[in-house]
Amino acid sequence: MMEKETRRGYVPEDEREFYQASGISLLKRAQEEIFWLLERGYPIKSASVFVGNHHLLSERQRLALVRATSPAAAIAQRVEKLVDQEEMLDGRTVCIDGFNLVITLETALSDSTLIRCMDGTVRDLAGLRGTYRLIDKTDEAVRLVGTQLEKRHVGRAVFYLDAPVSNSGRLRARILELMEGRSFETVVELVPNADVILEKEELVATSDAIILNHCKSWINLASDILADQGNVQRHLIDLSDVTRIMDTKK
């Protein structure tokens, strides 16, 4: 049965808050101020509340800034562990943060807002909070993952899905079905907490900041896929200009 057409992560107010030049200019100015506070020891939550209140930002704008902005030391650490996009992964195992990756790609395919962040990752604003259902974009998102993994010559892909999240079993079944016949082995694990496992692994595909801070190495899989899919980047808001933001440290 065909899934009902759904725009994952779409909010009408984004047209004003993210897509107009005035909205982007405001976000960048607020990001500089948040970064200035982070570099002086303020926690991201406190910094985003203070700056958000000053600029009268919406909750969604504040969420975007929290996801996009990181301290310089954290960015450097993550970049150091990043495996280059051009490096082939001949026969190696990639560990995938399943919901994190699939939801980001579903959001892109829905032409909804995505944020390119200071650490180079692409993050969504979908905010599903433990609830998930397959949509009409899910199959295409999974196929894009498979194509990119074949391009990198992966030997094995292990998807980790949080079992408590609704419809995790259905997504597991779809991934296994859609990956059948690919050049690599596919495993999908339903686990109590995917983050705890992924934090200890290497070649992790995720944009989750906490996982990136702790894992041994990672690949920027969502960003790499979107780079090959120019038609789904219309609403990719670029808040990644580290050079511009670093100037605010002075």
Side-chain angles (χ1 to χ4, degrees):
M1 183 175 68
M2 290 290 292
E3 301 285 350
K4 179 182 177 181
E5 184 173 357
T6 302
R7 291 188 69 180
R8 175 80 77 203
Y10 175 71
V11 173
E13 288 76 16
D14 285 358
E15 298 288 342
R16 179 185 72 257
E17 296 179 351
F18 291 96
Y19 307 156
Q20 296 181 10
S22 59
I24 295 174
S25 177
L26 176 61
L27 283 172
K28 290 183 175 181
R29 184 162 68 252
Q31 184 184 33
E32 291 173 0
E33 294 168 6
I34 290 174
F35 180 77
W36 190 93
L37 291 171
L38 291 181
E39 290 302 292
R40 285 154 181 81
Y42 287 79
I44 184 66
K45 183 176 181 179
S46 299
S48 64
V49 169
F50 179 76
V51 174
N53 288 346
H54 176 69
H55 291 290
L56 302 178
L57 301 180
S58 70
E59 288 300 316
R60 194 160 166 86
Q61 288 173 314
R62 298 176 195 216
L63 175 61
L65 291 171
V66 167
R67 294 194 172 179
T69 315
S70 301
I75 295 170
Q77 180 194 52
R78 294 170 198 170
V79 171
E80 185 177 0
K81 296 189 291 184
L82 175 63
V83 177
D84 188 85
Q85 179 183 3
E86 301 302 320
E87 182 177 335
M88 290 297 105
L89 303 176
D90 301 316
R92 298 177 68 184
T93 297
V94 170
C95 298
I96 299 173
D97 189 354
F99 282 115
N100 178 279
L101 179 58
V102 170
I103 290 170
T104 297
L105 295 176
E106 288 174 342
T107 301
L109 293 167
S110 299
D111 200 22
S112 299
T113 303
L114 293 170
I115 308 296
R116 187 175 298 283
C117 306
M118 290 177 68
D119 57 11
T121 61
V122 172
R123 296 187 172 102
D124 63 77
L125 303 177
L128 299 184
R129 301 177 184 273
T131 61
Y132 174 85
R133 65 182 180 87
L134 280 70
I135 63 173
D136 59 302
K137 315 296 191 301
T138 303
D139 285 5
E140 180 61 18
V142 174
R143 290 190 188 100
L144 289 173
V145 174
T147 299
Q148 187 68 22
L149 293 176
E150 285 189 325
K151 180 179 176 181
R152 298 289 293 271
H153 299 174
V154 167
R156 187 168 183 258
V158 183
F159 290 77
Y160 291 94
L161 300 176
D162 295 288
V165 175
S166 57
N167 291 306
S168 56
R170 287 191 64 204
L171 180 58
R172 177 183 183 273
R174 289 303 293 152
I175 291 172
L176 290 172
E177 181 178 345
L178 292 166
M179 291 298 184
E180 188 174 352
R182 292 284 187 177
S183 62
F184 53 87
E185 177 189 1
T186 300
V187 177
V188 184
E189 300 281 359
L190 296 180
V191 297
N193 188 338
D195 293 12
V196 172
I197 297 172
L198 292 167
E199 286 175 5
K200 302 173 184 178
E201 295 292 343
E202 61 180 359
L203 289 183
V204 176
T206 188
S207 65
D208 186 290
I210 295 176
I211 296 174
L212 295 179
N213 288 342
H214 292 91
C215 68
K216 297 174 183 176
S217 62
W218 64 289
I219 60 174
N220 202 353
L221 194 58
S223 182
D224 294 344
I225 290 170
L226 294 179
D228 291 342
Q229 303 290 319
N231 61 318
V232 298
Q233 296 192 67
R234 189 168 71 91
H235 290 156
L236 178 58
I237 310 304
D238 192 350
L239 295 176
S240 67
D241 189 348
V242 176
T243 301
R244 169 183 61 83
I245 299 169
M246 290 296 185
D247 289 340
T248 67
K249 291 178 66 176
K250 300 176 182 178

